[in-house]
Amino acid sequence: MLGEGIVRGLAETARNFFGSFAEKERLTTVQFPEERRVPFEAARNFPFLVYDGDGKESGLRCVACLICEKECPPRCIHIDKSKDKKPDFVGKAQFYPAAFTIDVSVCMSCQICVEVCPFEAIKMDTAFELSTDDRFAGLLWGKDRLAKSNEHYHAIHPTEAAEVDERRGQEKAAAEAKAKPAAQPAEAR
Amino acid sequence: MISSLKEMPREAGETGGMAGSGAGSQLLEVAMGPHHPSTHGVFRMDVQLEGERVVRLKPVFGYLHRNHEQIAEKTSYLGSMPYTDRLDYLCSMSNNWAYALTVEKLTGLQPPERAEYIRVIMAELTRVQNHAGLIGFLLQDMGASGTPLMYAFREREKILDLFEWVSGARMMCNYMRFGGVRVDLPEGWVEGALAFVERAPRFLDEYEGLLRNSEIVMARTQGVGLLPAELAVNAGVTGPMLRASGVNYDLRKVDRYGVYDRFSFRVPLGEKGDVYDRYMMRLLEMRESVSILAQALRDLPGGPILDPKSKLRGLRPKAGEVYGRIEAPKGELGFYLISDGSTNPYRYRVRPPSLINLTVLEDMCLDRSVADVVVILGSVDIVLGEVDR
Amino acid sequence: MTPEQIRSEIEAAIPGCSVEVAPNGAVPGQASLAVDRLHALEAAWFLRRHPGLLLDFCSNVAGVDWLDREISEKVKVRKLVDGVEQEAEETRKSKIPGRLEAVYHLFSIEKKQGPVILRVRTENRSDRVEIPSLTPVWRSAEFQEREIFDLYGIVFTGHPDLRRLLMWEGFTDHPMRKDYVPPPEDDGPQDPRGAVGKEAAAG
């Protein structure tokens, strides 16, 4: 019968319309500014630099090795290496970034800088409401804006951050254990 | 629509946009696009019309061209991986796989079993969401404004959530690596995917029931945009579009890449190769994909997810060349790489199924009306990020 | 069929056609067939109709740009040194002139086989860049050859509609060539050492 298919199709729309009152499955909309979805742990947006402790400048894990600058596919990271060195978390003297900038208007959130970083210094942030009225300076983030605490890292990626902390703890313990036998013979002499 | 008077090369005897061709008939040149809602992006068709009948149609590309291939030749092998997400930006997982597969062929890396299963799961989820979206767009082009597309996007949302859960991004996943995948599935992910697979048949039934039997859809699609099998093969058409013309050629069966030989699934085939067949092909393929998903999630083995020989930085394959291809949702997605032994590929080429499937667009549209052109283009399934690269 | 067998069959079937088997050093290492450009079209028809191959599906057409290259290889030569014949090593430098190349990946849907890789080379990179178009044999080459014409500048003789595909009309260069110099970018990454960067770094 002509029109039968149309009626059958309308039955599906009716089922979905009335069903949306009963089933959460059929109504998945999140009313955004009022309602917010909890982001997934793996969620990523733009990179940030992790620092330990309270020192935004002194606790920065980055040692300015320039690997991320070289590996970044759109080349949006720029690092100026320091002239002097400062001790890192195991006490080894390391360079630090005199300047570290990311042009987030070019960054494509691919996470490759995070993967290649051997020092767990750069991680992905989840913040996404970042609009600005200055499309040049407002989107070129310096060290000041990029540096975020380890606590922040724990808050957004708890599992991953715990693993990183454990690994760094082991490294530190290994470094201390290595330093001790080296120190003892010196005392004996 | 803007009428264009200068872009098309004219044949002898024509004097302008409006040219006489026989008694009482006039030809009108129309540039459909690049900003036309039915072209799914920035794509233009220069159409020559006689009344409402199409007498010539030339696609115009390049509005989204960014020289992806040259960028890739100046970047390391790994650095191109996030750029492949942006080819067919609806199916980034498939693109990742095609590129990873090609580099693995070039270097001899072997992904572990678990990674192969994860790849199959991701590729089939991609196929479901691509096909659901395509049908929504196709019906929208026919005038079913909103409803089918919203239903499709509601289900797509669930798949994108699964992608974000594992890779951190909804569309630009950047998930595969040479010799495996980047991270293992998080806890609870498999259950989440299984829940989706359980619900999927109900969605597919409803989605099919919505308009499959509708007299209007049948009148608009049956017998429209016929593509004979011989022409389809000769013009290099691949994917669901080729199979809608009745040619049994599915790379998952032919090449048996990954672990596709372990799953039982059927390859649906069309008869006539009209828009209706192409529409049905996608509906049927989604069901097969769901069945593959159920099998893959059931058999998912444990173990490592990355070849231990694979390294992130400083990949230097031996000098040589390789062509790798997979069955992406839109057709055969191929990568052709030439290595000269350095860290960058000497030549990096993408074989874009969307672009090559458009070769026959003119043949399908000739003698049809403008309204049919919209439907036929909708059934080809293009994404301009891949067409223009 | 191995590339060598295909080569001898082509050479037997088409008089005057010379085919070179180009080796491939990659892991699967499938060698390709470099057909001379005068007989490329005939060879393509032969491959498509060959009952054992039936290459009805031309999947991928890629352009490649090879710059002038100098290869130095060490060769052992016997020479007379002070009346005694000795073996000595000599470095021989050979120059490979630059050329453009179109690579066709051919498959058979009928027989579910493939690929056979066909290469057609131009004489040089500057003025003699014509090779025959294989679009009459496989229509799938139509847009891909146009793309190569656009990005590499190979002129395909016999192509039904050879226009630029991706770049705009009036653009003169070929951006995929290895010696292409792009115009200065105005929307690339900002230089943080520039004025804006210093401001941002200052806080």
Side-chain angles (χ1 to χ4, degrees), chain B residues 67 70 73 105 234-235 248 319-321 323 325 332 346-347 349 351 356 359 363 389, chain C residues 24-25 28 57 59-61 63 65 107 112 119 137 139-140 144 147 152 175-176 178:
Chain B
N67 222 342
Q70 196 196 48
E73 283 168 20
K105 263 175 102 172
N234 192 245
N248 186 357
E321 60 168 54
Y323 179 66
R325 54 179 192 163
E332 175 187 326
Y346 184 80
R347 176 76 175 105
R349 148 106 185 143
R351 181 217 189 262
I356 296 163
T359 310
D363 302 67
R389 278 159 298 138
Chain C
N24 180 2
F57 170 47
S59 168
N60 178 42
V61 188
D65 180 13
F107 291 85
K112 307 238 189 312
R119 315 181 94 89
V137 189
R139 256 195 72 191
S140 54
Q144 305 190 67
E147 187 184 320
Y152 282 92
M176 279 299 284
K178 288 281 169 190

mmCIF file of all heavy atoms in Angstrom, chain B residues 67 70 73 105 234-235 248 319-321 323 325 332 346-347 349 351 356 359 363 389, chain C residues 24-25 28 57 59-61 63 65 107 112 119 137 139-140 144 147 152 175-176 178:
data_model
loop_
_atom_site.group_PDB
_atom_site.id
_atom_site.type_symbol
_atom_site.label_atom_id
_atom_site.label_comp_id
_atom_site.label_asym_id
_atom_site.label_seq_id
_atom_site.Cartn_x
_atom_site.Cartn_y
_atom_site.Cartn_z
ATOM 1 N N ASN B 67 48.844 20.367 0.954
ATOM 2 C CA ASN B 67 50.062 19.638 0.603
ATOM 3 C C ASN B 67 50.550 18.731 1.728
ATOM 4 O O ASN B 67 51.701 18.768 2.151
ATOM 5 C CB ASN B 67 51.170 20.575 0.153
ATOM 6 C CG ASN B 67 51.892 19.998 -1.050
ATOM 7 O OD1 ASN B 67 51.776 18.799 -1.303
ATOM 8 N ND2 ASN B 67 52.613 20.816 -1.769
ATOM 9 N N GLN B 70 53.748 16.760 1.040
ATOM 10 C CA GLN B 70 55.032 17.451 1.191
ATOM 11 C C GLN B 70 55.366 17.659 2.665
ATOM 12 O O GLN B 70 56.521 17.509 3.064
ATOM 13 C CB GLN B 70 54.993 18.787 0.462
ATOM 14 C CG GLN B 70 56.375 19.343 0.266
ATOM 15 C CD GLN B 70 56.348 20.806 -0.082
ATOM 16 O OE1 GLN B 70 55.672 21.576 0.575
ATOM 17 N NE2 GLN B 70 57.065 21.168 -1.120
ATOM 18 N N GLU B 73 56.835 14.557 3.876
ATOM 19 C CA GLU B 73 58.197 14.276 3.420
ATOM 20 C C GLU B 73 59.223 15.107 4.179
ATOM 21 O O GLU B 73 60.414 14.827 4.110
ATOM 22 C CB GLU B 73 58.305 14.542 1.910
ATOM 23 C CG GLU B 73 57.677 13.422 1.104
ATOM 24 C CD GLU B 73 57.503 13.746 -0.361
ATOM 25 O OE1 GLU B 73 58.182 14.655 -0.859
ATOM 26 O OE2 GLU B 73 56.690 13.073 -1.002
ATOM 27 N N LYS B 105 55.211 -2.713 7.005
ATOM 28 C CA LYS B 105 55.648 -3.495 5.847
ATOM 29 C C LYS B 105 57.060 -3.066 5.421
ATOM 30 O O LYS B 105 57.868 -3.874 5.008
ATOM 31 C CB LYS B 105 54.689 -3.259 4.673
ATOM 32 C CG LYS B 105 53.627 -4.321 4.542
ATOM 33 C CD LYS B 105 52.652 -3.952 3.452
ATOM 34 C CE LYS B 105 52.885 -4.703 2.174
ATOM 35 N NZ LYS B 105 51.814 -4.464 1.197
ATOM 36 N N ASN B 234 37.098 -0.214 -13.767
ATOM 37 C CA ASN B 234 38.049 0.517 -14.591
ATOM 38 C C ASN B 234 38.379 1.881 -13.999
ATOM 39 O O ASN B 234 39.502 2.359 -14.107
ATOM 40 C CB ASN B 234 37.485 0.676 -15.996
ATOM 41 C CG ASN B 234 38.543 1.151 -16.962
ATOM 42 O OD1 ASN B 234 38.459 2.241 -17.497
ATOM 43 N ND2 ASN B 234 39.579 0.348 -17.157
ATOM 44 N N ALA B 235 37.399 2.491 -13.347
ATOM 45 C CA ALA B 235 37.637 3.822 -12.795
ATOM 46 C C ALA B 235 38.225 3.753 -11.391
ATOM 47 O O ALA B 235 38.341 4.777 -10.722
ATOM 48 C CB ALA B 235 36.341 4.618 -12.782
ATOM 49 N N ASN B 248 32.689 -8.252 -6.067
ATOM 50 C CA ASN B 248 33.068 -8.772 -4.756
ATOM 51 C C ASN B 248 34.549 -8.503 -4.519
ATOM 52 O O ASN B 248 35.409 -9.287 -4.903
ATOM 53 C CB ASN B 248 32.769 -10.271 -4.717
ATOM 54 C CG ASN B 248 33.003 -10.839 -3.344
ATOM 55 O OD1 ASN B 248 33.438 -10.144 -2.433
ATOM 56 N ND2 ASN B 248 32.716 -12.112 -3.186
ATOM 57 N N ALA B 319 66.557 1.547 2.618
ATOM 58 C CA ALA B 319 66.108 2.161 1.368
ATOM 59 C C ALA B 319 65.256 1.164 0.597
ATOM 60 O O ALA B 319 65.600 -0.011 0.494
ATOM 61 C CB ALA B 319 67.312 2.585 0.543
ATOM 62 N N GLY B 320 64.170 1.640 0.064
ATOM 63 C CA GLY B 320 63.255 0.769 -0.661
ATOM 64 C C GLY B 320 61.902 1.411 -0.735
ATOM 65 O O GLY B 320 61.731 2.558 -0.322
ATOM 66 N N GLU B 321 60.945 0.696 -1.267
ATOM 67 C CA GLU B 321 59.612 1.281 -1.389
ATOM 68 C C GLU B 321 58.564 0.241 -1.053
ATOM 69 O O GLU B 321 58.816 -0.968 -1.105
ATOM 70 C CB GLU B 321 59.388 1.811 -2.804
ATOM 71 C CG GLU B 321 59.492 0.732 -3.859
ATOM 72 C CD GLU B 321 58.999 1.207 -5.204
ATOM 73 O OE1 GLU B 321 59.507 2.236 -5.644
ATOM 74 O OE2 GLU B 321 58.140 0.550 -5.786
ATOM 75 N N TYR B 323 54.005 -0.384 -0.834
ATOM 76 C CA TYR B 323 52.635 0.107 -0.955
ATOM 77 C C TYR B 323 51.765 -0.714 -0.016
ATOM 78 O O TYR B 323 51.730 -1.938 -0.108
ATOM 79 C CB TYR B 323 52.139 -0.024 -2.404
ATOM 80 C CG TYR B 323 50.716 0.455 -2.586
ATOM 81 C CD1 TYR B 323 50.407 1.795 -2.422
ATOM 82 C CD2 TYR B 323 49.686 -0.426 -2.902
ATOM 83 C CE1 TYR B 323 49.107 2.239 -2.574
ATOM 84 C CE2 TYR B 323 48.388 0.019 -3.061
ATOM 85 C CZ TYR B 323 48.102 1.357 -2.895
ATOM 86 O OH TYR B 323 46.816 1.805 -3.029
ATOM 87 N N ARG B 325 47.850 -1.050 1.928
ATOM 88 C CA ARG B 325 46.470 -0.578 1.778
ATOM 89 C C ARG B 325 45.558 -1.312 2.741
ATOM 90 O O ARG B 325 45.820 -2.460 3.123
ATOM 91 C CB ARG B 325 45.993 -0.796 0.350
ATOM 92 C CG ARG B 325 46.169 -2.244 -0.109
ATOM 93 C CD ARG B 325 45.671 -2.426 -1.507
ATOM 94 N NE ARG B 325 45.568 -3.848 -1.832
ATOM 95 C CZ ARG B 325 44.868 -4.325 -2.843
ATOM 96 N NH1 ARG B 325 44.215 -3.520 -3.627
ATOM 97 N NH2 ARG B 325 44.815 -5.610 -3.080
ATOM 98 N N GLU B 332 39.471 1.803 -0.684
ATOM 99 C CA GLU B 332 40.853 1.382 -0.471
ATOM 100 C C GLU B 332 41.715 2.590 -0.121
ATOM 101 O O GLU B 332 41.946 3.451 -0.946
ATOM 102 C CB GLU B 332 41.387 0.719 -1.735
ATOM 103 C CG GLU B 332 42.855 0.366 -1.630
ATOM 104 C CD GLU B 332 43.426 -0.141 -2.938
ATOM 105 O OE1 GLU B 332 42.692 -0.814 -3.677
ATOM 106 O OE2 GLU B 332 44.605 0.125 -3.220
ATOM 107 N N TYR B 346 61.331 9.562 1.625
ATOM 108 C CA TYR B 346 61.686 10.326 0.421
ATOM 109 C C TYR B 346 60.424 10.664 -0.355
ATOM 110 O O TYR B 346 60.278 11.755 -0.876
ATOM 111 C CB TYR B 346 62.641 9.510 -0.459
ATOM 112 C CG TYR B 346 63.126 10.272 -1.675
ATOM 113 C CD1 TYR B 346 64.157 11.191 -1.548
ATOM 114 C CD2 TYR B 346 62.550 10.095 -2.924
ATOM 115 C CE1 TYR B 346 64.587 11.909 -2.639
ATOM 116 C CE2 TYR B 346 62.977 10.815 -4.024
ATOM 117 C CZ TYR B 346 63.997 11.720 -3.868
ATOM 118 O OH TYR B 346 64.423 12.445 -4.946
ATOM 119 N N ARG B 347 59.532 9.709 -0.418
ATOM 120 C CA ARG B 347 58.254 9.954 -1.080
ATOM 121 C C ARG B 347 57.166 9.365 -0.196
ATOM 122 O O ARG B 347 57.283 8.246 0.289
ATOM 123 C CB ARG B 347 58.232 9.285 -2.460
ATOM 124 C CG ARG B 347 56.902 9.407 -3.175
ATOM 125 C CD ARG B 347 56.706 10.790 -3.734
ATOM 126 N NE ARG B 347 55.472 10.891 -4.527
ATOM 127 C CZ ARG B 347 54.372 11.505 -4.093
ATOM 128 N NH1 ARG B 347 54.328 12.029 -2.906
ATOM 129 N NH2 ARG B 347 53.298 11.587 -4.865
ATOM 130 N N ARG B 349 53.011 9.060 -0.301
ATOM 131 C CA ARG B 349 51.833 9.311 -1.136
ATOM 132 C C ARG B 349 50.623 8.641 -0.495
ATOM 133 O O ARG B 349 50.714 7.524 -0.001
ATOM 134 C CB ARG B 349 52.097 8.760 -2.523
ATOM 135 C CG ARG B 349 50.889 8.249 -3.244
ATOM 136 C CD ARG B 349 50.459 9.207 -4.336
ATOM 137 N NE ARG B 349 49.219 8.727 -4.932
ATOM 138 C CZ ARG B 349 48.240 9.520 -5.331
ATOM 139 N NH1 ARG B 349 48.343 10.812 -5.204
ATOM 140 N NH2 ARG B 349 47.149 9.033 -5.857
ATOM 141 N N ARG B 351 46.840 7.281 -1.248
ATOM 142 C CA ARG B 351 45.851 6.995 -2.276
ATOM 143 C C ARG B 351 44.489 7.268 -1.648
ATOM 144 O O ARG B 351 44.005 6.502 -0.824
ATOM 145 C CB ARG B 351 45.926 5.535 -2.708
ATOM 146 C CG ARG B 351 44.935 5.199 -3.782
ATOM 147 C CD ARG B 351 44.349 3.817 -3.633
ATOM 148 N NE ARG B 351 43.563 3.470 -4.814
ATOM 149 C CZ ARG B 351 42.246 3.591 -4.850
ATOM 150 N NH1 ARG B 351 41.581 4.038 -3.833
ATOM 151 N NH2 ARG B 351 41.569 3.245 -5.938
ATOM 152 N N ILE B 356 39.292 9.254 -5.740
ATOM 153 C CA ILE B 356 39.233 8.380 -6.906
ATOM 154 C C ILE B 356 37.802 7.904 -7.148
ATOM 155 O O ILE B 356 37.393 7.704 -8.286
ATOM 156 C CB ILE B 356 40.250 7.243 -6.742
ATOM 157 C CG1 ILE B 356 41.644 7.885 -6.730
ATOM 158 C CG2 ILE B 356 40.153 6.236 -7.852
ATOM 159 C CD1 ILE B 356 42.711 7.031 -6.188
ATOM 160 N N THR B 359 35.842 9.962 -9.643
ATOM 161 C CA THR B 359 36.126 9.887 -11.076
ATOM 162 C C THR B 359 34.848 9.658 -11.882
ATOM 163 O O THR B 359 34.683 10.184 -12.971
ATOM 164 C CB THR B 359 37.111 8.732 -11.350
ATOM 165 O OG1 THR B 359 38.212 8.857 -10.455
ATOM 166 C CG2 THR B 359 37.623 8.767 -12.764
ATOM 167 N N ASP B 363 29.790 10.516 -14.905
ATOM 168 C CA ASP B 363 29.076 9.447 -15.607
ATOM 169 C C ASP B 363 27.750 9.118 -14.942
ATOM 170 O O ASP B 363 26.775 8.784 -15.594
ATOM 171 C CB ASP B 363 29.946 8.187 -15.637
ATOM 172 C CG ASP B 363 31.266 8.436 -16.309
ATOM 173 O OD1 ASP B 363 32.089 9.199 -15.759
ATOM 174 O OD2 ASP B 363 31.471 7.894 -17.398
ATOM 175 N N ARG B 389 43.586 16.783 0.413
ATOM 176 C CA ARG B 389 44.816 16.549 1.171
ATOM 177 C C ARG B 389 45.636 17.808 1.345
ATOM 178 O O ARG B 389 46.656 18.012 0.756
ATOM 179 C CB ARG B 389 45.668 15.465 0.511
ATOM 180 C CG ARG B 389 45.203 14.095 0.873
ATOM 181 C CD ARG B 389 45.679 13.112 -0.129
ATOM 182 N NE ARG B 389 45.094 13.457 -1.396
ATOM 183 C CZ ARG B 389 45.754 13.443 -2.550
ATOM 184 N NH1 ARG B 389 46.977 13.097 -2.618
ATOM 185 N NH2 ARG B 389 45.149 13.780 -3.657
ATOM 186 N N ASN C 24 64.148 -3.416 -5.366
ATOM 187 C CA ASN C 24 63.536 -2.743 -4.219
ATOM 188 C C ASN C 24 64.161 -3.306 -2.957
ATOM 189 O O ASN C 24 64.137 -4.505 -2.719
ATOM 190 C CB ASN C 24 62.027 -3.016 -4.260
ATOM 191 C CG ASN C 24 61.292 -2.372 -3.110
ATOM 192 O OD1 ASN C 24 61.888 -1.678 -2.291
ATOM 193 N ND2 ASN C 24 60.012 -2.610 -3.047
ATOM 194 N N GLY C 25 64.728 -2.441 -2.144
ATOM 195 C CA GLY C 25 65.462 -2.901 -0.978
ATOM 196 C C GLY C 25 64.642 -3.075 0.275
ATOM 197 O O GLY C 25 65.168 -3.459 1.305
ATOM 198 N N PRO C 28 59.567 -6.433 2.191
ATOM 199 C CA PRO C 28 58.910 -7.338 1.242
ATOM 200 C C PRO C 28 59.581 -7.280 -0.116
ATOM 201 O O PRO C 28 59.609 -8.262 -0.847
ATOM 202 C CB PRO C 28 57.474 -6.839 1.195
ATOM 203 C CG PRO C 28 57.509 -5.446 1.677
ATOM 204 C CD PRO C 28 58.701 -5.288 2.524
ATOM 205 N N PHE C 57 42.586 -3.317 -12.529
ATOM 206 C CA PHE C 57 42.373 -2.280 -11.521
ATOM 207 C C PHE C 57 43.686 -1.553 -11.254
ATOM 208 O O PHE C 57 44.642 -2.141 -10.761
ATOM 209 C CB PHE C 57 41.830 -2.949 -10.250
ATOM 210 C CG PHE C 57 41.765 -2.071 -9.032
ATOM 211 C CD1 PHE C 57 41.232 -0.800 -9.103
ATOM 212 C CD2 PHE C 57 42.212 -2.537 -7.808
ATOM 213 C CE1 PHE C 57 41.151 -0.002 -7.975
ATOM 214 C CE2 PHE C 57 42.143 -1.746 -6.683
ATOM 215 C CZ PHE C 57 41.616 -0.478 -6.765
ATOM 216 N N SER C 59 45.262 0.871 -9.050
ATOM 217 C CA SER C 59 44.884 1.441 -7.760
ATOM 218 C C SER C 59 45.494 2.814 -7.553
ATOM 219 O O SER C 59 44.797 3.788 -7.339
ATOM 220 C CB SER C 59 45.324 0.487 -6.664
ATOM 221 O OG SER C 59 45.242 1.097 -5.426
ATOM 222 N N ASN C 60 46.811 2.873 -7.620
ATOM 223 C CA ASN C 60 47.499 4.074 -7.166
ATOM 224 C C ASN C 60 48.439 4.557 -8.258
ATOM 225 O O ASN C 60 49.134 3.763 -8.881
ATOM 226 C CB ASN C 60 48.297 3.710 -5.896
ATOM 227 C CG ASN C 60 49.084 4.868 -5.361
ATOM 228 O OD1 ASN C 60 48.602 5.981 -5.312
ATOM 229 N ND2 ASN C 60 50.314 4.607 -4.974
ATOM 230 N N VAL C 61 48.424 5.840 -8.501
ATOM 231 C CA VAL C 61 49.391 6.440 -9.415
ATOM 232 C C VAL C 61 50.134 7.511 -8.621
ATOM 233 O O VAL C 61 49.515 8.416 -8.080
ATOM 234 C CB VAL C 61 48.710 7.077 -10.636
ATOM 235 C CG1 VAL C 61 49.750 7.507 -11.635
ATOM 236 C CG2 VAL C 61 47.738 6.124 -11.277
ATOM 237 N N GLY C 63 53.529 10.200 -8.399
ATOM 238 C CA GLY C 63 54.663 10.835 -9.040
ATOM 239 C C GLY C 63 55.853 10.792 -8.102
ATOM 240 O O GLY C 63 55.698 10.822 -6.892
ATOM 241 N N ASP C 65 59.924 12.444 -7.765
ATOM 242 C CA ASP C 65 60.920 13.347 -8.326
ATOM 243 C C ASP C 65 62.300 12.866 -7.900
ATOM 244 O O ASP C 65 62.587 12.777 -6.708
ATOM 245 C CB ASP C 65 60.656 14.768 -7.805
ATOM 246 C CG ASP C 65 61.665 15.760 -8.362
ATOM 247 O OD1 ASP C 65 62.367 15.390 -9.307
ATOM 248 O OD2 ASP C 65 61.721 16.881 -7.843
ATOM 249 N N PHE C 107 46.477 -3.927 -9.861
ATOM 250 C CA PHE C 107 45.951 -5.122 -9.210
ATOM 251 C C PHE C 107 44.964 -5.787 -10.152
ATOM 252 O O PHE C 107 44.513 -5.193 -11.131
ATOM 253 C CB PHE C 107 45.225 -4.760 -7.912
ATOM 254 C CG PHE C 107 46.121 -4.260 -6.826
ATOM 255 C CD1 PHE C 107 46.481 -2.924 -6.760
ATOM 256 C CD2 PHE C 107 46.615 -5.125 -5.868
ATOM 257 C CE1 PHE C 107 47.307 -2.462 -5.756
ATOM 258 C CE2 PHE C 107 47.436 -4.661 -4.863
ATOM 259 C CZ PHE C 107 47.788 -3.335 -4.801
ATOM 260 N N LYS C 112 42.098 -11.469 -8.123
ATOM 261 C CA LYS C 112 42.474 -11.127 -6.748
ATOM 262 C C LYS C 112 43.991 -11.256 -6.530
ATOM 263 O O LYS C 112 44.468 -11.931 -5.626
ATOM 264 C CB LYS C 112 41.721 -12.006 -5.741
ATOM 265 C CG LYS C 112 40.217 -12.009 -5.925
ATOM 266 C CD LYS C 112 39.522 -11.549 -4.667
ATOM 267 C CE LYS C 112 38.018 -11.723 -4.673
ATOM 268 N NZ LYS C 112 37.277 -11.278 -5.825
ATOM 269 N N ARG C 119 56.591 1.503 -13.764
ATOM 270 C CA ARG C 119 57.160 2.850 -13.670
ATOM 271 C C ARG C 119 57.386 3.380 -15.069
ATOM 272 O O ARG C 119 57.893 2.668 -15.928
ATOM 273 C CB ARG C 119 58.512 2.828 -12.952
ATOM 274 C CG ARG C 119 58.594 2.015 -11.709
ATOM 275 C CD ARG C 119 59.983 2.123 -11.123
ATOM 276 N NE ARG C 119 60.026 3.162 -10.137
ATOM 277 C CZ ARG C 119 59.765 2.970 -8.855
ATOM 278 N NH1 ARG C 119 59.428 1.782 -8.414
ATOM 279 N NH2 ARG C 119 59.836 3.960 -7.998
ATOM 280 N N VAL C 137 43.604 3.372 -20.680
ATOM 281 C CA VAL C 137 43.569 1.976 -20.246
ATOM 282 C C VAL C 137 42.806 1.858 -18.928
ATOM 283 O O VAL C 137 41.925 1.012 -18.778
ATOM 284 C CB VAL C 137 45.001 1.431 -20.075
ATOM 285 C CG1 VAL C 137 44.967 -0.065 -19.839
ATOM 286 C CG2 VAL C 137 45.838 1.775 -21.279
ATOM 287 N N ARG C 139 40.727 4.221 -16.234
ATOM 288 C CA ARG C 139 40.232 5.574 -15.986
ATOM 289 C C ARG C 139 40.570 6.065 -14.596
ATOM 290 O O ARG C 139 40.501 7.250 -14.310
ATOM 291 C CB ARG C 139 38.727 5.621 -16.198
ATOM 292 C CG ARG C 139 38.395 6.287 -17.506
ATOM 293 C CD ARG C 139 36.965 6.673 -17.579
ATOM 294 N NE ARG C 139 36.632 7.796 -16.737
ATOM 295 C CZ ARG C 139 35.396 8.167 -16.496
ATOM 296 N NH1 ARG C 139 34.400 7.487 -17.018
ATOM 297 N NH2 ARG C 139 35.145 9.212 -15.725
ATOM 298 N N SER C 140 40.900 5.147 -13.696
ATOM 299 C CA SER C 140 41.227 5.596 -12.345
ATOM 300 C C SER C 140 42.465 6.481 -12.338
ATOM 301 O O SER C 140 42.714 7.198 -11.379
ATOM 302 C CB SER C 140 41.453 4.397 -11.436
ATOM 303 O OG SER C 140 42.407 3.553 -11.992
ATOM 304 N N GLN C 144 44.424 11.144 -10.865
ATOM 305 C CA GLN C 144 45.752 10.995 -10.270
ATOM 306 C C GLN C 144 46.827 11.522 -11.211
ATOM 307 O O GLN C 144 47.810 12.113 -10.771
ATOM 308 C CB GLN C 144 45.997 9.530 -9.915
ATOM 309 C CG GLN C 144 44.908 8.979 -9.011
ATOM 310 C CD GLN C 144 45.239 7.622 -8.449
ATOM 311 O OE1 GLN C 144 46.152 7.490 -7.659
ATOM 312 N NE2 GLN C 144 44.502 6.614 -8.846
ATOM 313 N N GLU C 147 46.757 15.148 -10.961
ATOM 314 C CA GLU C 147 47.424 15.588 -9.739
ATOM 315 C C GLU C 147 48.935 15.607 -9.935
ATOM 316 O O GLU C 147 49.619 16.541 -9.493
ATOM 317 C CB GLU C 147 47.044 14.645 -8.593
ATOM 318 C CG GLU C 147 47.541 15.121 -7.257
ATOM 319 C CD GLU C 147 47.249 14.123 -6.147
ATOM 320 O OE1 GLU C 147 46.169 13.529 -6.143
ATOM 321 O OE2 GLU C 147 48.128 13.944 -5.291
ATOM 322 N N TYR C 152 53.876 17.783 -9.905
ATOM 323 C CA TYR C 152 55.225 17.418 -10.347
ATOM 324 C C TYR C 152 55.583 17.981 -11.718
ATOM 325 O O TYR C 152 56.740 18.073 -12.073
ATOM 326 C CB TYR C 152 55.374 15.891 -10.405
ATOM 327 C CG TYR C 152 55.576 15.275 -9.059
ATOM 328 C CD1 TYR C 152 54.508 14.838 -8.319
ATOM 329 C CD2 TYR C 152 56.846 15.157 -8.510
ATOM 330 C CE1 TYR C 152 54.678 14.291 -7.069
ATOM 331 C CE2 TYR C 152 57.036 14.612 -7.264
ATOM 332 C CZ TYR C 152 55.951 14.176 -6.546
ATOM 333 O OH TYR C 152 56.134 13.636 -5.310
ATOM 334 N N PRO C 175 54.652 22.176 -6.677
ATOM 335 C CA PRO C 175 55.067 22.188 -5.277
ATOM 336 C C PRO C 175 55.626 20.875 -4.722
ATOM 337 O O PRO C 175 56.260 20.893 -3.681
ATOM 338 C CB PRO C 175 53.780 22.568 -4.530
ATOM 339 C CG PRO C 175 52.683 22.444 -5.482
ATOM 340 C CD PRO C 175 53.225 22.479 -6.849
ATOM 341 N N MET C 176 55.403 19.748 -5.372
ATOM 342 C CA MET C 176 55.943 18.519 -4.806
ATOM 343 C C MET C 176 57.362 18.226 -5.290
ATOM 344 O O MET C 176 57.965 17.255 -4.870
ATOM 345 C CB MET C 176 55.047 17.331 -5.138
ATOM 346 C CG MET C 176 53.834 17.187 -4.249
ATOM 347 S SD MET C 176 54.239 16.942 -2.525
ATOM 348 C CE MET C 176 54.733 15.241 -2.533
ATOM 349 N N LYS C 178 61.309 18.328 -5.477
ATOM 350 C CA LYS C 178 62.221 18.379 -4.339
ATOM 351 C C LYS C 178 62.931 19.729 -4.227
ATOM 352 O O LYS C 178 63.398 20.090 -3.161
ATOM 353 C CB LYS C 178 63.254 17.254 -4.453
ATOM 354 C CG LYS C 178 62.671 15.878 -4.189
ATOM 355 C CD LYS C 178 62.506 15.607 -2.708
ATOM 356 C CE LYS C 178 61.692 14.347 -2.494
ATOM 357 N NZ LYS C 178 61.306 14.149 -1.105
#
